[in-house]
């Protein structure tokens, strides 16, 4: 799923309109916290950098968030009324589509890329493996209009919601008008997506001196810092740059070059976040690796001298013990509070 370069201008416009960032974060706590049934606040985890998205034009409210949450799990967003965002982004799998290399869209056809785990989206400067979407407020347009995903157009979606018995009143409560506009639709989804904060894995607690890693995890972390962290950086585990990590001599998927049209970007992909990575099998843009062991084997022996290979990469030749330690370290990024948080779950399913 990705926008053709021609669409970028719309996104640029929205980006520019995002304006300057002035915001009081409220009290600083370390996890997602929904202050109670009435109110809701976005709290930057103390060990995270400043987020990219600041709600400046879209003040976060309980009603706006709940509407976005309902819409995320709403199959009416698709042409056949069967596929919701949650169909390809399962909370229990860190909001990935665990076990599927390519997700299945409305026409029972596989998509173009592997469905990634979603977390900490308010910190993303760009979305998709090629960075083809550059603002969280327009992000839903890509899957909705993608013929291999929801294959619907926005006007149809808005019309279906307008005719629904519940939605007009929910939009009224959230945005003060029961006439459903694309702006309010996108704002509510942006509110939900921004609240998808994963910041309470063992790795997070370790970064805050609240947990200690086992000796094997610690060894894995030392290897990770030396070999991986210049790309999978910091608490977000990504520097959000576009790199080629040596998968194919010539990548079938042009990656970043789909957007920039530059040969030097061919086969480069956004460095993915590794949050909840143990839950988001299979791996890479095309889901080619079934397990974390296979991923580590790739970095250890499989890196090829590909077109545009990142200059920092060459086969890393880990011992078997080092490979196992790295896998153990990666599992410390699993955040069960996040994958089980009832506030992020499908509101139509009673738990
Ligand atoms: C048919 C499966 C499918 C559906 C439905 C779907 N997605 Fe996705 N989603 C994907 C795939 C595949 C990608 C990766 C696309 C790419 O990188 O080009 C993705 C990427 C994303 C990303 C970017 C993640 C990143 O790492 O940059 C976000 C955010 C997202 N989806 C949110 C949504 C929302 C919101 C909806 C509903 C409006 C939705 N998705 C519906 C499969 C799906
Ligand atoms: C030069 C930058 C770079 C370095 C160094 C690097 N990676 Fe990556 N990594 C990437 C890119 C880019 C991708 C996405 C490639 C794709 O989607 O095809 C990726 C993908 C991954 C994935 C798959 C994530 C998913 O959800 O599909 C894992 C796991 C991973 N890397 C772990 C590691 C580990 C462990 C190391 C160190 C041993 C490492 N990486 C070193 C750039 C890097």
């Amino acid at each position: 799923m990705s926008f053709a370069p021609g669409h970028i201008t719309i996104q640029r416009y929205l980006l520019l309109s995002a304006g300057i960032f002035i915001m009081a974060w409220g009290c600083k706590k370390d996890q997602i916290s929904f202050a109670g049934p009435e109110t809701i606040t976005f709290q930057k985890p103390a060990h995270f950098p400043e987020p990219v998205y600041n709600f400046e034009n879209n003040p976060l409210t309980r009603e706006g968030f709940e509407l976005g949450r309902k819409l995320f799990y709403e199959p009416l967003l698709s042409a056949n009324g069967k596929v919701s965002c949650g169909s390809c982004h399962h909370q229990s799998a860190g909001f990935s589509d665990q076990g599927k290399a390519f997700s299945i869209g409305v026409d029972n056809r596989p998509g173009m890329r592997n469905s990634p785990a979603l977390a900490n989206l308010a910190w993303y400067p760009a979305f998709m493996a090629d960075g083809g979407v550059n603002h969280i407020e327009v992000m839903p347009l890509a899957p909705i209009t993608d013929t291999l995903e929801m294959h619907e157009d926005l006007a149809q979606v808005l019309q279906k919601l307008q005719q629904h018995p519940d939605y007009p009143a929910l939009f009224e409560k959230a945005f003060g008008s029961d006439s459903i506009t694309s702006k309010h639709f996108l704002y509510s989804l942006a509110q939900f997506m921004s609240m998808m904060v994963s910041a309470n894995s063992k790795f997070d607690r370790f970064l805050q001196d609240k947990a200690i890693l086992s000796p094997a995890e610690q060894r894995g972390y030392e290897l990770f810092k030396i070999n991986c962290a210049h790309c999978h950086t910091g608490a977000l585990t990504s520097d959000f740059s576009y790199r080629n990590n040596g998968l194919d001599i010539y990548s079938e998927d042009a990656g970043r070059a789909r957007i920039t049209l530059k040969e030097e970007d061919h086969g480069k992909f956004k460095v993915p976040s590794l949050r909840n990575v143990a839950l988001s099998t299979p791996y890479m843009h095309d889901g080619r690796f079934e397990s974390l062991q296979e991923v580590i084997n790739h970095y250890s022996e499989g890196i090829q001298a590909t077109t545009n290979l990142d200059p920092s990469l060459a086969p890393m030749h880990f011992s078997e013990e080092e490979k196992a330690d790295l896998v153990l370290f990666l599992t410390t990024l699993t955040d069960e509070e996040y994958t089980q948080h009832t506030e992020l779950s499908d509101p139509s399913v009673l738990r």
Side-chain angles (χ1 to χ4, degrees):
M1 146 191 10
S2 144
F3 275 110
H7 287 94
I8 294 176
T9 39
I10 313 171
Q11 299 150 22
R12 289 262 157 77
Y13 166 74
L14 276 155
L15 189 63
L16 287 174
S17 71
I20 296 165
F21 172 15
I22 309 164
M23 183 124 197
W25 289 114
C27 58
K28 298 223 168 181
K29 277 184 62 191
D30 299 324
Q31 309 147 18
I32 352 178
S33 165
F34 297 85
E38 302 299 323
T39 48
I40 186 168
T41 42
F42 178 88
Q43 289 159 344
K44 185 185 84 64
H47 60 300
F48 275 31
E50 290 301 325
V52 172
Y53 189 59
N54 55 42
F55 301 95
E56 203 207 14
N57 298 315
N58 179 20
L60 178 67
T61 62
R62 169 57 75 178
E63 293 77 14
F65 166 83
E66 290 298 344
L67 176 58
R69 174 181 170 198
K70 190 170 162 63
L71 290 170
F72 188 87
Y73 293 102
E74 179 54 78
L76 277 181
L77 269 49
S78 64
N80 66 359
K82 290 188 179 149
V83 178
S84 74
C85 310
S87 305
C88 302
H89 298 290
H90 299 273
Q91 184 182 12
S92 59
F95 290 97
S96 73
D97 204 359
Q98 192 180 47
K100 295 206 187 79
F102 300 106
S103 303
I104 304 298
V106 289
D107 302 323
N108 271 323
R109 282 190 292 163
M112 190 181 102
R113 295 202 179 118
N114 179 245
S115 172
L118 305 180
N120 305 331
L121 299 172
W123 282 264
Y124 278 39
F127 301 86
M128 308 306 202
D130 52 24
V133 175
N134 59 12
H135 199 288
I136 197 167
E137 288 171 5
V138 293
M139 178 57 235
L141 298 175
I144 289 171
T145 57
D146 190 314
T147 52
L148 297 177
E149 296 190 348
M150 303 170 108
H151 201 172
E152 185 54 296
D153 76 55
L154 185 60
Q156 286 287 335
V157 172
L158 299 180
Q159 205 182 357
K160 283 190 273 182
L161 296 176
Q162 192 73 63
Q163 286 160 359
H164 189 276
D166 302 338
Y167 280 108
L170 295 173
F171 275 86
E172 166 91 52
K173 267 166 72 187
F175 299 105
S177 165
D178 65 0
S179 134
I180 300 177
T181 61
S182 54
K183 183 165 121 177
H184 293 158
F185 171 78
L186 294 169
Y187 274 6
S188 63
L189 276 164
Q191 292 193 20
F192 177 71
M193 286 192 281
S194 304
M195 289 302 281
M196 297 170 76
V197 180
S198 171
N200 200 23
S201 65
K202 186 172 187 185
F203 180 59
D204 293 289
R205 294 193 299 274
F206 164 75
L207 288 178
Q208 299 172 92
D209 294 325
K210 291 178 187 163
I212 47 168
L213 300 181
S214 73
E217 289 164 350
Q218 182 71 46
R219 289 194 302 270
Y221 182 47
E222 298 305 326
L223 290 165
F224 186 85
K225 280 193 284 189
I226 298 166
N227 295 290
C228 321
H230 58 285
C231 295
H232 298 286
T233 309
L236 299 170
T237 59
S238 175
D239 68 352
F240 300 105
S241 61
Y242 301 89
R243 316 257 198 156
N244 180 288
N245 66 342
L247 295 172
D248 299 300
I249 292 296
Y250 192 78
S251 180
E252 251 177 64
D253 185 330
R256 182 63 178 155
R258 277 171 58 93
I259 307 302
T260 64
L261 307 176
K262 289 187 186 148
E263 202 45 41
E264 75 220 42
D265 289 332
H266 187 96
K268 290 186 185 172
F269 297 93
K270 187 179 74 201
V271 175
S273 155
L274 300 181
R275 292 213 158 250
N276 298 301
V277 71
L279 305 176
S280 73
T281 56
Y283 302 108
M284 304 301 166
H285 67 276
D286 54 4
R288 68 178 60 198
F289 297 134
E290 301 279 339
S291 64
L292 287 174
Q293 284 78 4
E294 282 184 34
V295 171
I296 303 298
N297 284 338
H298 163 72
Y299 284 111
S300 184
E301 283 88 36
I303 291 177
Q304 303 189 52
T306 54
T307 316
N308 301 325
L309 177 66
D310 193 85
S312 73
L313 284 180
M316 298 174 186
H317 300 300
F318 298 121
S319 70
E320 290 310 309
E321 194 203 14
E322 287 174 327
K323 289 180 185 176
D325 291 344
L326 271 165
V327 170
L328 277 176
F329 168 70
L330 291 175
T331 60
T332 70
L333 286 155
T334 303
D335 178 354
E336 272 152 19
E337 179 190 67
Y338 179 70
T339 58
Q340 292 170 13
H341 209 303
T342 48
E343 298 260 18
L344 300 175
S345 67
D346 183 346
S348 70
V349 178
L350 292 174
R351 303 220 274 188

